[in-house]
């Protein structure tokens, strides 16, 4: 069951708000299939995911606001633009927009869906290969660990504005994978967007954040082998358990 028991675990209505980190590989569908295979059927799932959009831009988007204002959502997942949390470390305008976008969307969601679970989908750092390019933008960090530390910090700061926003530690799970001796590549060739297994890992972490199963041994694995899926399920379990520690 979700943390506050607010969601009917048999048939929640779920809304994803994000951009291409959500739309690539159809993350909402992967989440749906994971949940269904674990016995949690969803009554409705909707996504608003225009490319490159920040949370503050979503807050001013008629399309996003219309979806939010349908109301009676049980779960809403918010995915920020992939650089805005990292850029918040040194740029006040990015920081202000990120924090205001998160808080503003929270308030708008709660107005029509007061019992909704709101989850911040923490994104990930660029692949290490990104920094091999001398033209790489180092304003997001000097390496993957630096960028992920910034993403982690500012998602925590954004969530702290409200006492019941949850963080799905997707980026932390990606970092755990890349530190593992059996690491698999989760980034596409652009060193930014996810491959299918990257989206699968993201969906596992979101599922784990919402339902808190003791482990993430779920039967759905898409086009991955069972062994590949089990590895990513282990990583997701580690990340979600670590994030729940006091």
């Amino acid at each position: 069951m979700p943390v506050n028991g607010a969601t009917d675990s048999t048939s929640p209505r779920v809304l994803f708000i994000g951009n291409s980190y959500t739309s690539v590989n159809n993350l909402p569908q992967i989440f749906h299939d994971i949940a269904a295979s674990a016995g949690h059927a969803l009554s409705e799932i909707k996504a608003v995911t225009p490319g490159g959009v920040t949370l503050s831009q979503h807050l001013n988007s008629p399309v996003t606001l219309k979806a939010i204002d349908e109301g009676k959502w049980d779960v809403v997942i918010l995915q920020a633009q992939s650089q805005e949390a990292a850029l918040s470390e040194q740029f006040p305008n990015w920081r202000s927009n990120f924090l205001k976008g998160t808080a503003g969307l929270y308030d708008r969601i709660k107005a029509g869906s007061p019992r909704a679970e709101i989850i911040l989908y923490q994104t990930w750092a660029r692949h290490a290969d990104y920094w091999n390019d001398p033209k790489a933008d180092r304003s997001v960090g000097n390496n993957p660990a630096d960028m992920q530390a910034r993403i982690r910090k500012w998602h925590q700061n954004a969530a702290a504005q409200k006492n019941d926003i949850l963080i799905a530690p997707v980026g932390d799970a990606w970092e755990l994978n890349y530190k593992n001796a059996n690491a698999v590549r989760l980034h596409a060739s652009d060193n930014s967007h996810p491959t299918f297994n990257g989206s699968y890992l993201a969906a596992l972490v979101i599922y784990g954040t919402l339902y808190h199963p003791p482990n993430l041994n779920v039967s759905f694995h898409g086009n991955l082998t069972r062994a590949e899926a089990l590895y990513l399920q282990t990583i997701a379990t580690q990340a979600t358990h670590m994030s729940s520690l006091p």
Side-chain angles (χ1 to χ4, degrees), residues 14-189:
V14 181
L15 174 63
F16 282 81
I17 296 172
N19 53 49
S20 58
Y21 273 32
T22 296
S23 64
V24 167
N25 304 312
N26 199 348
L27 173 65
Q29 185 64 46
I30 299 171
F31 171 79
H32 168 278
D33 292 343
I34 287 171
S37 74
H40 300 285
L42 309 180
S43 64
E44 182 178 0
I45 192 162
K46 178 175 281 191
V48 183
T49 57
V53 173
T54 66
L55 293 182
S56 62
Q57 289 172 326
H58 272 297
L59 185 58
N60 292 287
S61 164
V63 175
T64 303
L65 297 180
K66 180 181 179 182
I68 290 171
D69 292 346
E70 288 181 18
K72 297 183 180 179
W73 294 106
D74 297 301
V75 182
V76 182
I77 294 103
L78 303 177
Q79 178 249 307
Q81 196 268 354
S82 65
Q83 299 178 88
E84 62 178 307
L87 292 170
S88 294
E89 182 69 15
Q90 65 183 92
F91 297 108
N93 59 322
W94 279 94
R95 183 182 313 145
S96 175
N97 286 335
F98 181 49
L99 296 176
K100 289 179 179 178
T102 303
L105 288 169
Y106 174 97
D107 290 341
R108 186 77 177 223
I109 293 161
K110 287 292 188 177
S113 307
R115 290 174 59 79
E117 294 281 7
I118 299 176
I119 298 174
L120 264 181
Y121 159 12
Q122 177 208 77
T123 54
W124 50 82
R126 299 290 194 263
H127 190 274
D129 290 349
Y130 171 82
W131 280 272
N132 293 332
D133 184 346
K135 296 180 180 179
D137 180 5
R138 285 171 170 74
S139 62
V140 297
N142 295 309
N143 51 56
D146 185 21
M147 185 174 181
Q148 187 58 38
R150 296 182 186 194
I151 290 171
R152 183 184 306 112
K153 173 183 174 180
W154 287 101
H155 275 77
Q156 290 170 344
N157 288 344
Q161 298 176 106
K162 307 291 181 178
N163 62 14
D164 60 347
I165 294 180
L166 303 176
I167 297 175
V170 174
D172 290 345
W174 280 49
E175 186 173 60
L176 283 173
N177 164 70
Y178 282 117
K179 289 180 177 179
N180 193 290
N182 298 315
V184 297
R185 186 173 176 108
L186 304 175
H187 292 81
S189 59

Side-chain angles (χ1 to χ4, degrees), residues 217-228:
N217 186 7
V218 297
S219 60
F220 174 76
H221 52 83
N223 61 14
L224 304 176
T225 67
R226 186 62 181 154
E228 290 169 338

